[in-house]
Amino acid sequence: MNIRRAVPASLLAATTASALLLTACGTDDTAEATGSGSVDVVASFYPLKFVAQQVGGPEVRITNLTKAGVEPHDLELTAKQVAGIEDADVVLYLKGFQPAVDKAVDQNKPKHTVDAAALSPLEKHGTEVDGSEHGDEHAGEEGHAEEEHSADDGHDHSDGDPHLWLDPTRLAAVANGVAETLAQADPAHAQDYRTRAADLKGKLDALDNEYKTGLANCQRKEFVTSHAAFGYIADRYGLHEIAVNGVNPKSEPAPGRIADLQDLVREKGVTTIFFETLASPKTAETLARDTGVSTGVLDPIEGIKDEAANDYFSVMRANLDALRKALSCS
């Protein structure tokens, strides 16, 4: 059992203020821990909670810092959540994705941490504004993703696109790292964690094959999204993402971006403008209406509203179906 150290007064005041702000915004901390195991795991948002559940099994008790159905980019922590990070046996997070979590981990030094970005290094995806591709490490590759970043999105994504879990093979690498850290925290069940991680990798490899097969023969490669979250899918499966907003879904398009997008939609024969479940669809709906195309849902799986009805696999398969329809795949 961990012994809780006193939270510094300055940090307590800051997190209390954050809690009041959360309550005012309707996103207060009401997430409950799941599981009854003896290893306390804190996950910063849904994809990492999912990995913890799959790999940890009955040995773990998991707290998700981001309430189900809440957009995680702008998470603020309550004093209770900060204390939970301090006391946890293992903390799973993605450095640079949720600055409040980064700060709490740095200040409170939990026993064991897993930074998903360290297990599967982030990539930078390209930009397309006027139909021409701009160079980066993927320039010239078939799977070039297009992304328009807002200069003031308020998040540190200088090291790359954080949405690595949308590539099943990258999530498998994270699962292996989680298994090894859980094995360090709970050596008595080390083999159980490794076995479950291997089982999860097998399922993720099968999902990867479904995507490869399902997106292999499509009439078009370009898809338009409201949020630049799908670069890893584009890279891995030979598609092109054209994003209205940057990595942060609350960012606003740069001046002239909508006009450029209208031209791209017509030029590329795009049939669908995708919006997502946790962000406003207004811009996507406007772009679709102005260009005479349909709208659809493509979920970045940053959070799931009803975890009793859906999980990572079901949403990823729904995304695959949506892409196949939009891209006229056979």
Side-chain angles (χ1 to χ4, degrees), residues 10-29 74-82 99-101 103:
S10 59
L11 182 59
L12 181 60
T15 53
T16 300
S18 297
L20 290 173
L21 177 60
L22 274 169
T23 302
C25 296
T27 57
D28 55 303
D29 171 31
D74 298 319
L75 175 71
E76 298 290 346
L77 298 177
T78 66
K80 178 181 177 182
Q81 289 176 313
V82 172
V101 177
K103 181 177 180 181

Side-chain angles (χ1 to χ4, degrees), residues 7-329:
V7 179
S10 59
L11 182 59
L12 181 60
T15 53
T16 300
S18 297
L20 290 173
L21 177 60
L22 274 169
T23 302
C25 296
T27 57
D28 55 303
D29 171 31
T30 58
E32 296 292 336
T34 58
S36 57
S38 60
V39 181
D40 282 324
V41 176
V42 170
S44 64
F45 66 117
Y46 173 76
L48 298 182
K49 175 190 175 183
F50 174 76
V51 170
Q53 288 174 319
Q54 296 292 305
V55 176
E59 280 73 49
V60 301
R61 181 175 183 269
I62 305 166
T63 300
N64 184 3
L65 295 176
T66 306
K67 181 182 175 183
V70 172
E71 206 290 318
H73 284 80
D74 298 319
L75 175 71
E76 298 290 346
L77 298 177
T78 66
K80 178 181 177 182
Q81 289 176 313
V82 172
I85 288 172
E86 182 183 22
D87 289 349
D89 295 305
V90 178
V91 174
L92 313 180
Y93 74 119
L94 199 164
K95 191 171 183 179
F97 186 61
Q98 294 170 296
V101 177
D102 295 351
K103 181 177 180 181
V105 168
D106 288 343
Q107 291 182 342
N108 291 280
K109 310 295 183 187
K111 286 184 177 180
H112 300 277
T113 61
V114 177
D115 173 12
L119 297 170
S120 180
L122 305 183
E123 293 184 357
K124 292 182 180 180
H125 297 127
T127 62
E128 179 174 313
V129 177
D130 58 2
S132 61
E133 293 178 352
H134 299 273
D136 65 1
E137 67 268 33
H138 300 295
E141 294 184 6
E142 181 183 16
H144 186 89
E146 298 126 358
E147 177 180 323
E148 175 73 4
H149 290 280
S150 169
D152 59 350
D153 73 358
H155 299 275
D156 179 13
H157 299 307
S158 58
D159 291 334
D161 180 355
H163 302 89
L164 60 88
W165 59 90
L166 292 174
D167 178 341
T169 64
R170 288 177 172 273
L171 194 62
V174 173
N176 288 336
V178 169
E180 292 307 313
T181 301
L182 286 172
Q184 294 173 19
D186 180 23
H189 296 100
Q191 189 55 50
D192 294 327
Y193 299 131
R194 292 172 179 137
T195 297
R196 292 190 199 106
D199 289 343
L200 178 57
K201 181 181 184 301
K203 295 175 183 177
L204 290 168
D205 286 345
L207 179 65
D208 178 46
N209 286 331
E210 289 179 39
Y211 265 75
K212 285 181 180 177
T213 302
L215 298 173
N217 298 295
C218 303
Q219 292 183 17
R220 62 190 67 85
K221 297 294 185 180
E222 293 80 14
F223 64 103
V224 178
T225 64
S226 61
H227 170 205
F230 301 92
Y232 290 104
I233 285 180
D235 274 1
R236 184 152 185 83
Y237 306 111
L239 305 178
H240 294 242
E241 179 187 27
I242 303 170
V244 176
N245 292 327
V247 172
N248 179 2
K250 292 185 179 180
S251 61
E252 293 295 330
R257 177 62 173 163
I258 297 299
D260 291 329
L261 286 166
Q262 290 172 347
D263 291 341
L264 280 169
V265 167
R266 297 184 179 103
E267 175 190 342
K268 304 293 186 180
V270 170
T271 64
T272 307
I273 309 297
F274 287 111
F275 61 92
E276 57 196 60
T277 54
L278 301 182
S280 172
K282 289 183 179 179
T283 302
E285 290 172 343
T286 299
L287 179 59
R289 183 173 62 250
D290 291 345
T291 53
V293 301
S294 302
T295 58
V297 174
L298 204 61
D299 194 332
I301 324 182
E302 294 176 350
I304 291 181
K305 290 182 178 180
D306 184 0
E307 293 181 28
N310 292 293
D311 67 1
Y312 172 84
F313 284 107
S314 66
V315 178
M316 281 291 286
R317 290 189 171 102
N319 282 347
L320 175 57
D321 290 343
L323 283 169
R324 283 176 50 79
K325 180 179 179 181
L327 301 177
S328 299
C329 304

